[in-house]
Amino acid sequence: NIIKLGKEVDERIKFYQQTYPYGIQIERVASQDIVVADSVNGFISNLIQAIVVVLLVMLFFLGLRTGLVVASLIPVTIVTTILLMSVFDIGLNKVTLAALIVALGLLVDNAIVMSESIMVKIEQGATALEAAIDSAKELMIPLLTSSLTTSAAFMAFYLAESVMGEMMGNIFLVLTIALLSSWFLSLTMITLFCVYLIKVDKKDTQTVNGFDKINTYYKQALLYSLQRPFIIIGGTLALFLISIYLIRFVPVIFMPDSDRPLVTINLEMPLGTDIQQTESVTDSIDKFIADNLLLTPENPEGVINWTSFVGTGAPKYDLGYTAPESSPHAAHILVNTTSDFINDDIIKKLDGFIFNRFPDATYSVSRLMSGGGAANPIEIRVSGNNINRLYEISAQIKSQLASITGTRNISDDWGLRTQKLLVDINPINARLSGVTNQDIATSLQTVLSGSPIGDYREGDKAIPIVMQNNPTQDYQFDRLDSLRIYSQHNGNSVPLKQVSDVELSWQASKILRRNLLRTITVKSDVSPSHTAAEIMAQLTPWIIKAQADWGQGYNYEFGGDAEGSSKAMSAVNTKLPLSILIIILLLIAQFNSLRKPAIILATIPLGMIGVVLGLLVTGSYFGFLTFLGIISLAGIVINNGIVLLDRIKMESEENKRSPQDAIVEAGIARLRPILLTTATTSLGLIPLWIGGGLMWEPMAISIIFGLIFATILTLLFVPVLYKVLYRVPNK
């Protein structure tokens, strides 16, 4: 348990400070337990706010008695869900708490429909007990079907074989537990409370039925729509096509950077740089932070503390960080800031300082990545055989990237060419001199860099023991010819010039392979005012055209956000057909019909109208969480369609109404439950919108705006489509 571990760390720090009171300072630089605790506490606050909002909505629209009956379902379902989560070993985190917030508006729908049905039956003359029993029998299967179809919409995320599927899969489990708990409690606890608490009389009916005016307006709109079905269907289709056109103006960000108050610096000097030089550069950056960015009484926003790792990466302090291989030319710096709002300013100043002072450094100053995000937002991998040709192609790509506004810190993973010492051994001279290739290699390594002869272990670390020439000499190239080569066989020594030719050559610093092919990766960061998708949209046409001039055997592929988005989406899309199949089978089993499931499935795209409008109005973005919000929205829209069509069936078969009367009466009867579901879900997600950060904001916006528009259209579109498919005559 990371919280428990954090407490143990605090105790250990306290012990060290008491043991060594002078000359030592200990402070946390990266503490995941504090981040987790703050994150969970923030989401618990959002959950409590959402619960309060939903409760107030229930009491306001349903009156005191009915509102309390319906609202009682919320705390009982939440507690039941958390208990079952512990049974199935599902922990509390951002994802599961967000799932509970999304579930709030959905789980009260079962109670609303149940209490509404009981009240109607009591008004028609049945006793409270009879009304409760009849309603439970009548609604048990429809409510179960609607709960299961909503849950099935999220199954693709649980089954997706990707990092994002692993992160977001618990949403399916938590929502399934919450919805099934709500269904069971609605059939038992809510019916019991309705029998003993709901009193239906004339005065109370007027209080409960506060939708009289809305019912009147809705009935007029519904009758108007039923008389002009093709206008409604055509207008809805036109709105959907317009929304599909407008989606191109929504920024695309697969996963936003973390809003944690932390800035990271990855620094690489040219390959072969001595670690003392790397440390000197790092010290200069440290001094700049201390002199210009540190928190002071005069500067209330800035850097709290920082730490540097030279020659090695940091220990894994976050899910999105993976330490690189240890190398003397690399460094990693963690910078803790006062808040997320100051991060961009800190990044700008550090970026400018490194750019102006160390032109030969390859670096990246950025926020921490969100889990599932890419280390570099833009990556283009080029594969081929000829090293020189790969360098030429990478130079072309870097030049093109530099011409696109919004790119910065453009580099590649091979680095600059470096001078390498080439020793061409003359085998005849070497044999006559009594030395072997191994003798030459050992002598050169011992004199120039040192020869490892063993390891010294200290705790869990292995420190290499290196044998070097004493005293260590910095050999100049023109002195290498006289370097002595010692024979392991007879102990004789000869000058290097006697057995080999020595020359310098500019060669690749390192050659990396991917799928056994030499591959150079061109990387670029993105400025805060632009997105990787915008830049890739400009680069892709050029690179498709440029590939024709590269020659045979040279290919490219995109990495970064483009690859991460493609993999995550395809992993979910691969499993979506299974979710859709389960939903269709549930609908067919519920209605014993093909036309009614077709009507419900046709309503799903309606939510996109509101989603696109909401993202444009709020200035949000389209990403993986937006996609998750659209799937959530589809589940809610399906749920609304089920209760509406089920009511049409009941009005037609049980109350013996004519087809058009059944449509109108069903629409009026289900107006209140559908509107309340929309109100509770939308208003309950406002705390997540405001306090969920950049990661959860687009999901909340998608559901809120999408549900509002989908509800309005569903209340008119579903009856009209039903009329057309079942050929209901005008009346």
Side-chain angles (χ1 to χ4, degrees), residues 49-117:
Q49 294 172 33
I51 291 174
V52 171
V53 169
V54 173
L55 289 175
L56 292 176
V57 171
M58 292 291 99
L59 295 175
F60 180 78
F61 286 106
L62 295 177
L64 183 60
R65 285 181 177 272
T66 308
L68 287 175
V69 169
V70 174
S72 66
L73 183 69
I74 297 175
V76 179
T77 302
I78 293 292
V79 171
T80 304
T81 302
I82 292 176
L83 288 175
L84 291 175
M85 285 169 59
S86 66
V87 172
F88 293 105
D89 197 25
I90 303 172
L92 281 180
N93 51 54
K94 278 186 174 184
V95 175
T96 54
L97 288 170
L100 287 175
I101 294 174
V102 173
L104 280 178
L106 300 175
L107 61 88
V108 297
D109 184 49
N110 291 334
I112 294 170
V113 174
M114 182 63 69
S115 59
E116 173 95 7
S117 176

Side-chain angles (χ1 to χ4, degrees), residues 363-498:
Y363 67 95
S364 173
V365 186
S366 62
R367 295 168 177 263
L368 199 62
M369 295 180 301
S370 296
N376 301 292
I378 295 176
E379 288 184 355
I380 302 95
R381 294 189 284 262
V382 183
S383 301
N385 292 322
N386 188 282
I387 295 174
N388 293 329
R389 185 59 178 152
L390 288 175
Y391 266 114
E392 292 173 4
I393 294 172
S394 70
Q396 294 174 15
I397 296 174
K398 286 190 280 188
S399 176
Q400 183 63 25
L401 279 172
S403 67
I404 299 175
T405 305
T407 58
R408 60 189 181 93
N409 298 335
I410 301 170
S411 62
D412 63 69
D413 60 349
W414 282 19
L416 299 173
R417 295 175 189 261
T418 57
Q419 278 190 325
K420 290 190 176 182
L421 182 67
L422 299 182
V423 179
D424 185 14
I425 300 174
N426 188 317
I428 297 176
N429 292 346
R431 190 179 303 112
L432 292 174
S433 302
V435 297
T436 64
N437 292 0
Q438 182 66 36
D439 294 335
I440 298 173
T442 302
S443 297
L444 287 174
Q445 185 176 23
T446 302
V447 172
L448 298 179
S449 59
S451 177
I453 59 174
D455 290 319
Y456 170 74
R457 293 195 170 274
E458 185 176 286
D460 60 346
K461 295 182 179 180
I463 302 173
I465 301 174
V466 179
M467 181 176 66
Q468 289 184 328
N469 195 34
N470 190 23
T472 301
Q473 301 180 39
D474 292 330
Y475 276 88
Q476 301 295 324
F477 176 71
D478 56 1
R479 295 180 55 201
L480 288 176
D481 288 344
S482 60
L483 191 148
R484 307 299 295 181
I485 303 299
Y486 292 88
S487 171
Q488 306 269 343
H489 178 66
N490 54 30
N492 293 334
S493 67
V494 295
L496 179 63
K497 181 66 176 176
Q498 182 174 323

Side-chain angles (χ1 to χ4, degrees), residues 44 54 121 129 148 175 246 269 302 361 424 474 545 589 594 664 703:
I44 288 176
V54 173
K121 291 183 182 297
L129 183 59
L148 291 177
L175 273 171
L246 292 176
M269 302 302 291
D424 185 14
D474 292 330
K545 184 178 179 181
L594 291 176
V664 175
I703 297 177

Side-chain angles (χ1 to χ4, degrees), residues 189-230:
M189 183 186 76
I190 295 300
T191 54
L192 178 66
F193 287 173
C194 286
V195 170
Y196 289 102
L197 296 178
I198 290 184
K199 306 294 182 184
V200 179
D201 53 33
K202 185 176 180 180
K203 180 179 179 181
D204 195 38
T205 300
Q206 290 175 351
T207 303
V208 173
N209 294 335
F211 286 79
D212 288 341
K213 288 186 177 180
I214 299 177
N215 278 338
T216 301
Y217 294 138
Y218 171 62
K219 184 175 181 179
Q220 293 174 357
L222 181 56
L223 289 172
Y224 179 87
S225 301
L226 290 172
Q227 297 297 326
R228 301 163 180 82
F230 294 104

